[in-house]
Amino acid sequence: MTVKQFDPTQTTTMDTPKKVIEQQSQESTVIEGGNARVGFVSLGCPKNLVDSERILTQLRTEGYDVVPTYNDADLVIVNTCGFIDSAVQESLDTIGEALAENGKVIVTGCLGVKEDEIREVHPNVLAITGPHAYETVVEQVHDNLPKPTHNPFEDLIPEQGVKLTPRHYAYLKISEGCNHRCTFCIIPSMRGDLVSRPVGEVLSEAERLSNAGVKELLVISQDTSAYGVDVKNKTGFWDGMPVKTGMTELAEQLGHMGVWVRLHYVYPYPSVDKVIPLMAQGKVLPYLDIPFQHANKRILKLMKRPTAAERTLERIKKWREICPELVIRSTFIVGFPGETEEEFQELLDFLDEAQLDRVGCFKYSEVEGAVANDLPDPVDEATKQDRYERFMLKQQKISADRLQQRVGLIMQVLIDEVDEEGAIGRTYADAPEIDGVVYLNGDTSVQPGDFVDVLIEHADEYDLWGSRVEE
């Protein structure tokens, strides 16, 4: 068995946006000497991806052409990430690359809140804004490029806007910001406090996406459980019906749209219990992305996270009793300042007890501005690496055992890619780019977006292999 070693250059950036921009560029006709052309680089997580989609939708609506290469662009926009040090470095490197290759660069996104830091390294960028500053970014483009003469009959934008995902799935962002002050995180300082989108607006967007052929909606935010807390769960309206602004009520309505609904970034509030029956009823995928971060009460308190690990195990047991098909994904941090060997062992014991399906792990690293940087007794790098590897070995065994239980089952699979070697898809247990996949070797007769039934024939620590079951 191999361990996926920690990569110090690892970031949260997804591969999909670059691929989709290239595909969209190939599908559209760019007239030589015609409209101004904008290059776009989207770094970071799905929440950043949605910001990129909104900027691109406005640019395309106004008639700008979006191109995938620096040389073809009249100007480049870099949507940055600033979550962890490696992401900051990736953003700075990308800005530098864009300046070297093109010369005209606008910077936006999370790292944009640190304008002085960016300009110290790259003083020649044209303009800088923070996250979700869609209108400002477009205005900055206007300041530096001629506004196209837009013919709406030639430059039609789909009702759902420009998407940086394949046609069959889309991210649905329900709020901005976060009210928590986890000591290892600086997101609230970048994106602000929680601001929930009106529930009717969210449901209308979901309906447009569904009508456009989207088969899977991935619900995202900084804290999905807190949706509506800032507006005291006020009642909104959608399709003539009153709907409360809250995660459970939103999930209930999304469950009527006939698509996969996947919940991400669910903070472990007691209110999560209310959404489990919706999963058991088939209204929402029985998949819960819930970051526990640690199991030791003292470390969780230092992190400013919920501290009742024993009750967490009780809740997981109860959830599985209600919904036996439930798949739980989580993330953890090892080597947090002050973490002792005994406290780390408690985390390993928690993994044994919880039997989580999908788990990510990070070695703690200092992020500029994070409160945890000032905590005493930092853990040395060698110990962090040792704990990371032990954690991963433990979880790999758990994951492999749980995936082996799927061998011999017939599972519904959503196809993501097809090439000359076969098809690649996902079950309800797998979110794109962060979880495993199902390989259908040699099967080239399906298309991305197809749902097919697959007999699972083999599994390793992360992925499944199978063959299609003919109707």
Side-chain angles (χ1 to χ4, degrees):
M1 181 182 298
T2 60
V3 179
K4 288 189 175 180
Q5 296 296 323
F6 176 76
D7 180 358
T9 65
Q10 179 183 3
T11 69
T12 59
T13 293
M14 308 172 71
D15 293 331
T16 302
K18 181 179 179 182
K19 294 178 181 177
V20 174
I21 288 175
E22 291 175 349
Q23 180 182 359
Q24 290 175 350
S25 178
Q26 292 169 1
E27 292 173 352
S28 63
T29 301
V30 177
I31 300 174
E32 193 68 30
N35 292 335
R37 297 168 296 185
V38 177
F40 204 99
V41 181
S42 183
L43 306 176
C45 66
K47 294 176 282 294
N48 231 33
L49 179 148
V50 173
D51 291 348
S52 296
E53 290 175 339
R54 292 179 179 174
I55 295 169
L56 287 172
T57 295
Q58 185 59 37
L59 292 174
R60 289 281 303 276
T61 298
E62 294 187 3
Y64 290 97
D65 291 323
V66 178
V67 294
T69 63
Y70 294 129
N71 292 338
D72 292 332
D74 299 308
L75 175 152
V76 177
I77 299 172
V78 179
N79 191 6
T80 60
C81 177
F83 180 53
I84 53 179
D85 285 350
S86 56
V88 171
Q89 190 59 53
E90 179 190 36
S91 294
L92 291 173
D93 289 347
T94 302
I95 295 167
E97 180 181 86
L99 282 169
E101 297 292 332
N102 182 276
K104 298 178 70 175
V105 178
I106 290 174
V107 176
T108 188
C110 288
L111 188 60
V113 300
K114 299 181 179 180
E115 181 170 354
D116 292 344
E117 182 176 331
I118 294 172
R119 290 203 180 276
E120 183 178 349
V121 181
H122 302 299
N124 295 326
V125 295
L126 297 175
I128 299 173
T129 61
H132 50 85
Y134 321 119
E135 294 179 358
T136 304
V137 173
V138 174
E139 289 171 2
Q140 291 167 350
V141 173
H142 294 165
D143 291 340
N144 291 277
L145 289 181
K147 193 171 181 179
T149 302
H150 179 52
N151 183 339
F153 295 101
E154 294 179 358
D155 303 303
L156 293 177
I157 301 299
E159 186 182 10
Q160 72 275 13
V162 174
K163 291 296 170 186
L164 295 180
T165 50
R167 291 183 175 92
H168 59 280
Y169 71 81
Y171 292 98
L172 182 67
K173 185 155 68 167
I174 63 175
S175 65
E176 291 285 359
C178 181
N179 287 341
H180 296 290
R181 296 297 183 265
C182 301
T183 58
F184 54 81
C185 181
I186 59 172
I187 292 299
S189 67
M190 294 179 171
R191 290 186 171 263
D193 290 336
L194 175 71
V195 179
S196 299
R197 293 178 63 195
V199 66
E201 180 183 303
V202 174
L203 288 168
S204 293
E205 180 181 349
E207 185 178 49
R208 290 194 300 272
L209 291 167
S210 175
N211 291 340
V214 166
K215 306 291 183 65
E216 177 181 13
L217 292 172
L218 299 106
V219 179
I220 60 170
S221 65
Q222 295 299 139
D223 179 2
T224 297
S225 311
Y227 177 64
V229 168
D230 56 314
V231 294
K232 299 181 179 172
N233 301 110
K234 74 176 182 180
T235 299
F237 289 89
W238 178 70
D239 201 23
M241 301 183 303
V243 182
K244 276 193 172 184
T245 308
M247 178 182 70
T248 305
E249 293 80 5
L250 176 65
E252 174 88 42
Q253 295 302 321
L254 291 173
H256 295 308
M257 293 191 179
V259 299
W260 277 8
V261 177
R262 189 182 300 277
L263 300 179
H264 283 282
Y265 314 116
V266 178
Y267 199 89
Y269 294 130
S271 61
V272 175
D273 298 348
K274 298 178 183 178
V275 83
I276 303 300
L278 299 180
M279 297 179 176
Q281 295 162 20
K283 294 180 179 179
V284 178
L285 288 182
Y287 175 100
L288 198 56
D289 176 2
I290 185 163
F292 294 121
Q293 305 298 9
H294 211 280
N296 174 263
K297 185 174 182 178
R298 189 183 75 88
I299 295 298
L300 287 168
K301 188 174 181 180
L302 289 173
M303 291 178 171
K304 290 195 175 180
R305 301 287 293 182
T307 58
E310 67 283 355
R311 277 181 291 191
T312 296
L313 289 170
E314 292 173 7
R315 291 174 71 197
I316 290 173
K317 181 179 179 181
K318 182 181 177 182
W319 293 343
R320 286 174 170 156
E321 289 173 352
I322 297 170
C323 183
E325 295 301 310
L326 178 65
V327 163
I328 302 175
R329 172 178 180 77
S330 191
T331 53
F332 295 87
I333 297 173
V334 297
F336 192 79
E339 182 189 58
T340 66
E341 178 60 27
E342 292 74 20
E343 290 165 337
F344 173 69
Q345 185 59 51
E346 187 176 338
L347 175 56
L348 296 183
D349 294 341
F350 175 88
L351 292 181
D352 276 329
E353 185 75 20
Q355 291 289 297
L356 303 177
D357 300 88
R358 302 293 194 186
V359 170
C361 181
F362 295 91
K363 295 193 304 181
Y364 174 78
S365 62
E366 290 190 359
V367 178
E368 184 179 351
V371 174
N373 297 344
D374 299 324
L375 292 174
D377 304 318
V379 178
D380 65 83
E381 289 301 320
T383 301
K384 288 180 190 177
Q385 182 66 25
D386 175 69
R387 290 176 183 173
Y388 172 84
E389 293 183 5
R390 289 158 60 196
F391 179 102
M392 290 303 298
L393 281 171
K394 170 73 71 176
Q395 182 55 40
Q396 279 182 339
K397 177 64 166 60
I398 294 170
S399 176
D401 289 345
R402 293 190 71 80
L403 287 180
Q404 282 296 325
Q405 296 173 21
R406 301 191 182 279
V407 174
L409 298 181
I410 295 176
M411 302 189 70
Q412 187 180 49
V413 171
L414 178 59
I415 301 299
D416 281 337
E417 299 178 49
V418 182
D419 58 25
E420 64 277 2
E421 295 182 2
I424 302 174
R426 293 175 290 110
T427 72
Y428 78 88
D430 308 303
E433 293 205 49
I434 60 173
D435 292 326
V437 296
V438 182
Y439 292 100
L440 282 70
N441 292 341
D443 193 338
T444 59
S445 60
V446 292
Q447 298 293 325
D450 287 349
F451 280 112
V452 296
D453 290 331
V454 174
L455 173 64
I456 305 301
E457 298 166 330
H458 176 70
D460 65 9
E461 296 92 343
Y462 302 103
D463 302 315
L464 300 170
W465 283 258
S467 56
R468 189 152 47 107
V469 177
E470 299 293 343
E471 295 182 3

